[in-house]
Amino acid sequence: FLLELSSPEALPAIIPGQFAEFRTVGPKSTFLRRPISIHDIDRHNNLIKFMIRIVGNGTESLSELRPGDTADVIFPLGNGFTYCTAKPCHPLLIGGGVGVAPLMLLGRAMKEDGIAPTFLFGGRSVNNLLRINDFSEIGEVFCTTEDGTFGEKGFVTDHTMLKDRTFDAIYACGPTVYNFIHIGNARPLCVFDVLRRYLEYRGSKVKSKVLKARQAGNTKEVIQYADRANARLHQKYRNIQLRSKANIAKVAVARELACFIWGMMTEHYA
């Protein structure tokens, strides 16, 4: 759903990619503020907009707000996106589900600076592609759906457009996990992979003492799920030709961590 908020005071300066923290009213599980990315702003009418998906008690309570209600919000927070204004510039903005939310404001800012962004969105079905017509007013939009109900069938990474075009920069947002490896955990591995390749190119012999020490401290207890996940994770490593690899940890405290999380869920804190 789309939540629009207005204020008697003028909106502060907001950078695309920043977010807000909402205080929600409800059971114990909602005592923490909910971080929601800023979707769009309308300075003429002094409005700030949020695209929200109901996933729990906190976001459900936000969906129950009605015209005239007051929301407890802290914003803007975070550093936001940075982008080069040098021309020509051809950025690609990729989003999945409600992950498209911050890309609206980013696209508008780029367009105001004379940059024409290209959007690539994905979802399980056509119902998960949000505000496509509004995005198309800012730049060219390409879509994929897993069931083939709109655009090309598959994931955004499989779109044929990527084979025919080149881009100067890529901005991506949500969902957190597309597969066993995603941009969040691939980024540090890629950084160290580039460093390792450079050192080897200069003639250095690279050994990972940290990984060896970590492996030596593992117990013999084997978590089957981690084994299966690691096998698939390493397949993804091979797909993107990474030589620096890391495993999903199989540590002795896994059972204790599971009990701790279960206790938090029982008390409705997680």
Side-chain angles (χ1 to χ4, degrees):
F1 65 94
L2 193 64
L3 177 64
E4 295 185 354
L5 301 178
S6 63
S7 171
E9 301 178 0
L11 293 174
I14 297 174
I15 301 173
Q18 290 186 305
F19 65 97
E21 291 274 5
F22 281 81
R23 182 181 180 184
T24 59
V25 179
K28 289 182 179 180
S29 61
T30 65
F31 79 101
L32 293 175
R33 287 181 177 269
R34 266 43 180 183
I36 307 291
S37 60
I38 297 173
H39 173 54
D40 203 1
I41 55 176
D42 180 352
R43 293 201 175 275
H44 180 72
N45 295 303
N46 207 43
L47 294 174
I48 183 169
K49 304 177 183 181
F50 300 90
M51 182 184 289
I52 304 173
R53 181 167 66 96
I54 300 175
V55 294
N57 293 328
T59 47
E60 185 175 7
S61 68
L62 293 177
S63 71
E64 296 170 353
L65 290 172
R66 296 294 177 263
D69 290 346
T70 300
D72 186 337
V73 190
I74 302 174
F75 76 98
L77 301 172
N79 295 321
F81 294 107
T82 58
Y83 62 91
C84 179
T85 56
K87 302 176 182 62
C89 183
H90 306 286
L92 175 64
L93 281 58
I94 306 176
V98 291
V100 305
L103 302 182
M104 176 70 78
L105 196 56
L106 177 61
R108 289 193 192 281
M110 288 180 170
K111 186 175 181 179
E112 290 175 1
D113 286 332
I115 300 172
T118 299
F119 297 99
L120 176 57
F121 297 145
R124 288 190 177 91
S125 70
V126 64
N127 296 326
N128 301 117
L129 298 175
L130 308 173
R131 302 194 69 185
I132 298 301
N133 292 335
D134 296 313
F135 278 104
S136 63
E137 295 177 359
I138 301 174
E140 194 172 9
V141 178
F142 296 88
C143 297
T144 65
T145 50
E146 294 178 32
D147 61 3
T149 51
F150 190 85
E152 294 189 9
K153 185 175 182 179
F155 297 110
V156 291
T157 50
D158 301 321
H159 201 288
T160 55
M161 175 269 294
L162 298 175
K163 300 178 182 179
D164 304 323
R165 302 192 183 195
T166 58
F167 298 94
D168 302 312
I170 296 177
Y171 300 83
C173 186
T176 302
V177 179
Y178 261 119
N179 213 307
F180 285 90
I181 186 170
H182 59 91
I183 192 169
N185 53 39
R187 181 172 57 185
L189 292 173
C190 288
V191 170
F192 285 106
D193 194 63
V194 170
L195 177 60
R196 178 177 182 171
R197 289 168 186 260
Y198 173 74
L199 291 174
E200 290 177 343
Y201 168 76
R202 294 295 301 268
S204 300
K205 189 174 182 179
V206 180
K207 294 181 180 180
S208 181
K209 295 182 179 179
V210 175
L211 283 178
K212 285 185 178 179
R214 181 177 175 183
Q215 291 167 356
N218 285 346
T219 67
K220 294 183 179 180
E221 181 181 359
V222 177
I223 302 173
Q224 293 183 351
Y225 175 81
D227 283 336
R228 293 196 300 269
N230 277 325
R232 297 182 184 181
L233 185 63
H234 278 265
Q235 179 59 51
K236 300 301 177 182
Y237 288 147
R238 289 191 289 272
N239 291 347
I240 59 176
Q241 301 180 11
L242 276 181
R243 281 189 282 172
S244 298
K245 302 176 176 66
N247 286 322
I248 297 171
K250 297 178 289 186
V251 296
V253 297
R255 195 178 306 280
E256 287 79 0
L257 285 174
C259 292
F260 174 73
I261 294 171
W262 178 257
M264 292 187 68
M265 293 174 64
T266 303
E267 294 297 325
H268 303 290
Y269 287 122

